[in-house]
């Protein structure tokens, strides 16, 4: 999908996942927000970021790189730093 539409990508929002089944813990369900337990820090799951980055670079992508994680495995600050380091070292 990224390869097919790379020329149209103006913004990225990266998430990584440990498997293809998205499991909800139901945390925050009272507020209509679900938290998925198998999303993980970038580079710890199954997403082929190397391949995605190569395709985006080949297409001349120069937009923002955004990352998000529903539930931090450590502190929010440490997880944000880990994801930032992953992007710096792999982009």
């Amino acid at each position: 999908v990224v390869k097919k539409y790379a020329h149209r990508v103006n913004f990225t929002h990266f998430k990584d996942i440990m498997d293809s089944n998205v499991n909800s813990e139901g945390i925050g369900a009272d507020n209509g927000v679900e938290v998925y337990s198998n999303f993980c820090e970038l580079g710890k799951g199954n997403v082929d970021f190397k391949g995605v980055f190569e395709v985006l670079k080949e297409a001349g992508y120069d937009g923002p790189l955004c990352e998000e994680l529903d539930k931090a495995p450590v502190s929010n600050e440490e997880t944000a730093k880990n994801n930032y380091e992953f992007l710096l070292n792999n982009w």
Side-chain angles (χ1 to χ4, degrees), residues 6-25:
H7 65 284
R8 297 179 64 184
V9 176
N10 295 313
F11 180 82
T12 62
H13 180 147
F14 296 122
K15 282 186 127 168
D16 207 347
I17 190 165
M18 287 186 244
D19 60 42
S20 60
N21 298 315
V22 179
N23 300 314
S24 171
E25 293 180 359

Side-chain angles (χ1 to χ4, degrees), residues 2 10-11 14-15 27 34 40 43-44 48 52 55 58 60 62 71 74 85-86 89 91:
V2 175
N10 295 313
F11 180 82
F14 296 122
K15 282 186 127 168
I27 297 171
E34 296 200 43
C40 54
K44 308 266 183 184
D48 177 16
V52 171
V55 168
E58 287 174 13
D62 64 354
K71 182 179 178 185
V74 287
E85 289 293 322
F86 177 84
N89 295 324
W91 174 254

Side-chain angles (χ1 to χ4, degrees), residues 21 23 29-30 38 47 51-52 54 70 79 85:
N21 298 315
N23 300 314
D30 293 338
N38 52 346
V47 175
V52 171
E54 286 176 9
D70 291 10
T79 294
E85 289 293 322

Side-chain angles (χ1 to χ4, degrees), residues 31-42:
N31 299 325
V33 177
E34 296 200 43
V35 176
Y36 298 98
S37 59
N38 52 346
F39 284 120
C40 54
E41 291 181 352
L42 300 182

